[in-house]
Amino acid sequence: MLWPIIYIIILPAALTIIYNLLVIGRQRVKSAWSQIDVQLKRRHDLIPNLITVAKGYMQHEHEIMEEVATARQIAAEASSIKDKEAAENVLSNALHSFFAVAENYPRLKADRVMLSLHEELVSTENRIAFARQYYNEEVLRYNTRVETFPSSAVAKLFGFTRKEFFKIEATGDRQAITAGF
Amino acid sequence: MPFTHLEIEQRKSIIIILLFIILIVIYFMGTWFAAAVAGIGLLFLCPQYISGYGFMPSLSGNLWILGIALISGAVHWLISTANIIPRISALLGAMPLDDKDRYHQRFKNIVEEVSIAIGGRRIECMVIPTTAVNSFSVADFHGNSLIGVTEGLLARLSRHQIEAIVAHEAGHIVSGDCLITTVSCSLFGIYAAAFRYITVSIENSIENTAVFDEDRERDNRNNDAFIALYLLFIGCVVGVTAFFSMIINTLISRQKEYRADALSVKLTRNPLALAEALHIVSGSWCGAGHGIENLGSIFIANPAYEEADEGEGFVPDLISTHPPMSKRIKVLLDMAHADIRTLDNPQQADPTIASAEQLPAEPAPKWFVSKENTWTGPFDMDHLAALPGFGPDTWIKAEGEDRIKPAGREPSIAAWFNKGNLVPFKCPHCELALMKSEYEGTSVYRCSHAHGLFVKKSDLMKIIIRRDTAFSPNILKLADIMAGNSEQARAMAMSSKQIKSSISCPQCGITMNRRCYSIAYPVLVDICKTCNVLWFDQYEMELLQALVEKTAPNLA
């Protein structure tokens, strides 16, 4: 009497619950990733404005501005997580050196459009950092579920795989722009 | 997170059910006593009618009382928990953000950043226009939430510190503490606070110490007797509701603040910033207005000073809603591996909201204008704007050039037309159009010729508490002298009558009054009472700001 109950009721119920938990976890990772994407897009949209404003003041710094523009172009075109990671790091470094150069142009620093643009950039960097933090937390939770028993067995059965973390160099994001300006 | 989501939900609903039961018990007891008193009264007055009715209500009587208590408790609950967020924010005097104000924009950005960190939950934000340093959060059953801060907090805290405070409030929201405190406040605190608010505003209008209110004094004297009766009635209501809100406060654990601090650190990874922020909050005036003492539990630091807040042990744990600030700071400092001395040297100053006005202006180009076939000028941009009939089709030529063109074709002037900089106000001294400008992060109107500032009274407080602008040594010296002779200056300010100013209000055209800003800060300014606006001549604004910073360093 006991075994049929286990086979018919408890096992399928447990299977369903675990499967659903895995699906929910995967969905959360997905939505966390889309949040990162939104914020990265925001960053890419701000950079042309930044360059337009800076052009008026930094006529002799073509190189650095071109570096930022190309880095942005590459970052905007990257698609896989690994590519994005690399491209965003290059972009962060380019922005960092841009703001280090901009330090020498007090009129640019005092420009009103530049002030609000700077605030937007700082905010965007924070948003990216927070979105990344949230994404990595969700990935950690999901990966733990995929790898620990008994959900690991269900994961293997239905083909749930580990997700990748998203890393941006620590020097490249939150501190760079605030410290450089 | 310290809890799993499920645990939070269970804990939340248990406490909310408990709150409802307490409410029913309070109503039951109230009705029971009322019935008992009525019973005794009837027994003495007309014993022949109610021979069967004793001192105690009978069983069926008790059931009736329970029914009444249940119904009135449910009605009270429904009324109190509907529209909680708008009601509490209205009571606190919280205002929506001003999207032209740099500080407000920064605050909005920070709230959006933190909401990403907690998974993209939408959080609204508001600002209480006071100089106090405090913040609060409220949430309702529908998942709406609101984080509010005071102007003082925005002015005195750096970006990192505000971020830590906002993350603390977000921690309250995600852990569900916020909903519990909000509901408990809405049951009794909100009424006590509302009545106290009315009382204080009546008292204020009697005493009439505010800058703009002295004419109302005469009208109010006649109503004194009525007001006294009213105050007595209100006093009773405040007493009862405050008592009940105190009982409910015992339910609210002090631990929630530690928990939210921990969540804030988890989100921002910056315990030092939160420690610094709490240090500033505890060192400043926390009160956020009148009548908020009973809503204290939604704030990060209790706005009303209570001795129990700084104590530990059973009794303080029971009656206080906030743990000792020193202990909170110590926990955070331990996390940061720092000691109390680091709080005196904050991490880094915040350079992001620098004022655009500090650089010397470049020599502006000047233009000649064709007027009835003669060339007049040269004028700079501000003069041009003030010329009667000046528009995009006026013919101009640049100084030192012969080429003639319509003003709209000249890029720098066209840009100026497009920006919508021209405002309908004119400088009361030189009749030039005032320019919309930015001062201390908020928008003001400025005359670039007479260097006067035209400020709405509601914006003035923001300007005074913010300290982006550096003052010239002369202004500082003058402020020093005034602060040093404060007694003399005050006596002078008290004895001086307000005089009719020589200038008229840029907004309504009525002659302004020239008088001291206040007795504590005797700087002469021009005030228009009808429009609630002030005109500051050159240096008057700087002098007022410098004086406030000298005499009340904690405020500015």
Side-chain angles (χ1 to χ4, degrees):
Chain A
M1 191 59 205
L2 196 66
W3 286 108
I5 293 181
I6 289 176
Y7 281 130
I8 295 170
I9 299 173
I10 296 181
L11 212 62
L15 209 67
T16 319
I17 290 172
I18 292 173
Y19 177 80
N20 284 348
L21 281 178
L22 281 168
V23 172
I24 290 170
R26 195 168 59 183
Q27 289 299 342
R28 290 177 73 128
V29 170
K30 214 171 166 185
S31 78
W33 173 254
S34 68
Q35 185 64 264
I36 294 191
D37 245 7
V38 170
Q39 301 311 331
L40 288 179
K41 174 126 199 325
R42 198 183 138 103
R43 182 195 219 184
H44 300 155
D45 290 348
L46 278 172
I47 287 170
N49 297 346
L50 181 74
I51 291 176
T52 319
V53 176
K55 258 184 192 156
Y57 297 90
M58 302 166 56
Q59 285 93 349
H60 309 296
E61 312 280 355
H62 283 299
E63 273 174 38
I64 181 69
M65 283 194 271
E66 262 167 38
E67 192 188 323
V68 173
T70 35
R72 175 205 173 261
Q73 194 63 30
I74 294 169
E77 283 162 6
S79 54
S80 77
I81 295 186
K82 276 269 168 275
D83 285 354
K84 280 196 186 204
E85 235 176 67
E88 291 300 331
N89 281 336
V90 174
L91 179 55
S92 295
N93 287 336
L95 277 177
H96 186 53
S97 30
F98 170 83
F99 277 103
V101 173
E103 185 79 346
N104 303 328
Y105 293 83
R107 287 208 172 274
L108 173 64
K109 280 168 72 178
D111 186 286
R112 212 165 285 167
V113 184
M114 188 63 193
L115 275 178
S116 54
L117 209 53
H118 181 247
E119 163 64 24
E120 285 304 303
L121 262 173
V122 170
S123 174
T124 308
E125 297 304 312
N126 283 345
R127 282 165 208 240
I128 294 172
F130 279 138
R132 192 194 65 210
Q133 183 178 315
Y134 181 71
Y135 171 80
N136 285 343
E137 266 167 33
E138 289 299 328
V139 169
L140 179 69
R141 208 184 315 184
Y142 173 76
N143 283 352
T144 317
R145 214 168 261 166
V146 168
E147 284 174 9
T148 50
F149 189 80
S151 45
S152 60
V154 184
K156 225 167 243 162
L157 193 64
F158 291 100
F160 288 92
T161 47
R162 281 176 58 94
K163 297 273 177 195
E164 279 171 59
F165 289 102
F166 186 67
K167 293 176 208 130
I168 295 185
E169 282 165 35
T171 49
D173 50 14
R174 291 185 68 185
Q175 283 81 24
I177 286 176
T178 22
F181 207 51
Chain B
M1 308 275 151
F3 302 110
T4 68
H5 200 62
L6 206 65
E7 277 173 42
I8 292 172
E9 286 301 319
Q10 282 169 353
R11 229 183 105 254
K12 217 159 72 179
S13 40
I14 288 174
I15 294 194
I16 285 173
I17 290 169
L18 207 62
L19 278 174
F20 184 71
I21 292 175
I22 289 181
L23 188 69
I24 301 294
V25 168
I26 287 170
Y27 267 97
F28 181 79
M29 276 158 47
T31 328
W32 199 92
F33 276 115
V37 169
I40 295 168
L42 284 176
L43 210 61
F44 278 111
L45 289 174
C46 36
Q48 66 274 26
Y49 292 121
I50 43 160
S51 51
Y53 196 96
F55 172 70
M56 294 283 166
S58 62
L59 180 66
S60 65
N62 271 327
L63 283 178
W64 270 107
I65 290 171
L66 183 65
I68 293 172
L70 270 175
I71 292 171
S72 33
V75 170
H76 183 161
W77 179 273
L78 285 180
I79 291 176
S80 298
T81 53
N83 267 345
I84 314 180
I85 294 183
R87 278 199 300 159
I88 291 189
S89 52
L91 196 59
L92 295 173
M95 309 285 279
L97 300 185
D98 173 6
D99 53 347
K100 296 237 169 56
D101 190 307
R102 229 177 252 294
Y103 283 76
H104 289 192
Q105 276 315 300
R106 185 175 69 164
F107 171 55
K108 190 173 167 227
N109 274 337
I110 292 173
V111 171
E112 282 174 10
E113 287 158 24
V114 171
S115 81
I116 288 171
I118 58 170
R121 179 173 172 162
R122 229 181 79 76
I123 301 174
E124 283 182 63
C125 31
M126 282 181 133
V127 171
I128 307 179
T130 69
T131 53
V133 181
N134 218 327
S135 73
F136 72 94
S137 56
V138 285
D140 67 6
F141 289 113
H142 310 293
N144 301 322
S145 43
L146 167 84
I147 292 180
V149 296
T150 58
E151 284 288 353
L153 185 133
L154 288 184
R156 298 207 46 204
L157 266 54
S158 75
R159 193 186 174 98
H160 288 291
Q161 293 162 351
I162 298 178
E163 192 177 85
I165 294 277
V166 170
H168 168 102
E169 300 298 350
H172 277 312
I173 292 172
V174 288
S175 68
D177 295 330
C178 185
L179 179 64
I180 295 166
T181 46
T182 308
V183 169
S184 67
C185 276
S186 72
L187 289 181
F188 289 107
I190 197 168
Y191 300 106
F195 283 120
R196 196 163 292 182
Y197 180 77
I198 297 169
T199 315
V200 170
S201 48
I202 291 174
E203 277 168 1
N204 264 358
S205 69
I206 296 170
E207 286 171 13
N208 244 310
T209 48
V211 178
F212 287 94
D213 292 342
E214 50 183 39
D215 276 353
R216 284 186 217 147
E217 197 170 355
R218 257 164 279 126
D219 313 334
N220 276 329
R221 261 186 208 141
N222 308 330
N223 302 330
D224 275 358
F226 168 72
I227 289 171
L229 268 179
Y230 179 74
L231 285 183
L232 194 69
F233 166 70
I234 294 290
C236 298
V237 179
V238 169
V240 173
T241 48
F243 174 71
F244 287 132
S245 71
M246 203 185 80
I247 290 179
I248 287 196
N249 272 351
T250 59
L251 264 186
I252 299 172
S253 161
R254 288 175 117 183
Q255 299 302 318
K256 71 179 169 48
E257 295 297 330
Y258 290 122
R259 204 154 49 217
D261 286 347
L263 275 171
S264 165
V265 172
K266 185 174 180 294
L267 292 177
T268 62
R269 320 254 154 113
N270 195 348
L272 201 54
L274 185 59
E276 285 166 4
L278 288 181
H279 182 64
I280 295 175
V281 169
S282 63
S284 311
W285 183 58
C286 305
H290 297 298
I292 39 100
E293 292 87 346
N294 305 92
L295 299 176
S297 54
I298 64 172
F299 284 89
I300 190 168
N302 199 346
Y305 174 74
E306 268 170 38
E307 231 166 276
D309 281 344
E310 290 307 315
E312 285 186 71
F314 179 71
V315 177
D317 276 354
L318 201 62
I319 58 173
S320 170
T321 52
H322 290 76
M325 196 56 105
S326 51
K327 206 173 162 203
R328 278 168 80 178
I329 293 176
K330 189 170 177 308
V331 170
L332 290 166
L333 286 175
D334 285 348
M335 283 188 209
H337 303 291
D339 63 30
I340 194 90
R341 269 166 303 183
T342 44
L343 293 185
D344 295 331
N345 312 309
Q347 280 171 320
Q348 65 196 71
D350 204 14
T352 47
I353 304 191
S355 174
E357 311 294 335
Q358 285 167 10
L359 286 176
E362 270 179 0
K366 296 201 169 185
W367 313 88
F368 284 93
V369 176
S370 162
K371 202 175 179 188
E372 290 155 4
N373 291 330
T374 51
W375 289 99
T376 50
F379 300 113
D380 61 16
M381 193 59 240
D382 304 318
H383 280 90
L384 283 182
L387 291 178
F390 179 73
D393 51 354
T394 313
W395 290 94
I396 56 162
K397 66 177 180 184
E399 191 180 19
E401 269 184 48
D402 284 336
R403 227 153 54 88
I404 303 169
K405 55 185 165 185
R409 289 284 177 81
E410 167 60 36
S412 60
I413 299 181
W416 187 87
F417 278 122
N418 292 336
K419 265 192 215 160
N421 271 330
L422 193 55
V423 289
F425 307 133
K426 287 199 169 167
C427 170
H429 288 297
C430 53
E431 293 288 309
L432 290 181
L434 295 179
M435 303 276 290
K436 205 173 211 161
S437 168
E438 202 185 280
Y439 190 68
E440 300 272 16
T442 192
S443 61
V444 294
Y445 302 105
R446 179 189 288 275
C447 172
S448 52
H449 186 248
H451 299 287
L453 276 181
F454 180 53
V455 184
K456 285 193 212 96
K457 201 195 163 209
S458 51
D459 289 334
L460 181 60
M461 186 269 299
K462 295 187 209 168
I463 294 175
I464 288 180
I465 57 177
R466 294 174 186 176
R467 40 181 18 173
D468 285 343
T469 311
F471 306 116
S472 69
N474 286 342
I475 296 278
L476 288 174
K477 205 185 272 174
L478 191 54
D480 252 347
I481 294 169
M482 288 179 79
N485 300 328
S486 57
E487 285 305 315
Q488 214 176 333
R490 259 173 226 185
M492 200 185 77
M494 281 166 92
S495 63
S496 74
K497 288 264 186 256
Q498 58 175 334
I499 44 171
K500 286 275 179 221
S501 171
S502 58
I503 59 175
S504 49
C505 170
Q507 195 166 324
C508 64
I510 298 173
T511 309
M512 296 176 101
N513 286 319
R514 188 161 178 82
R515 46 180 288 186
C516 287
Y517 170 70
S518 73
I519 290 169
Y521 306 116
V523 178
L524 282 169
V525 295
D526 298 285
I527 295 173
C528 174
K529 274 200 216 170
T530 3
C531 318
N532 259 355
V533 292
L534 294 96
W535 173 265
F536 290 87
D537 283 339
Q538 190 177 14
Y539 306 129
E540 281 175 355
M541 174 61 97
E542 283 91 342
L543 183 59
L544 178 59
Q545 281 182 286
L547 194 61
V548 174
E549 281 183 24
K550 276 266 180 304
T551 48
N554 261 352
L555 183 70

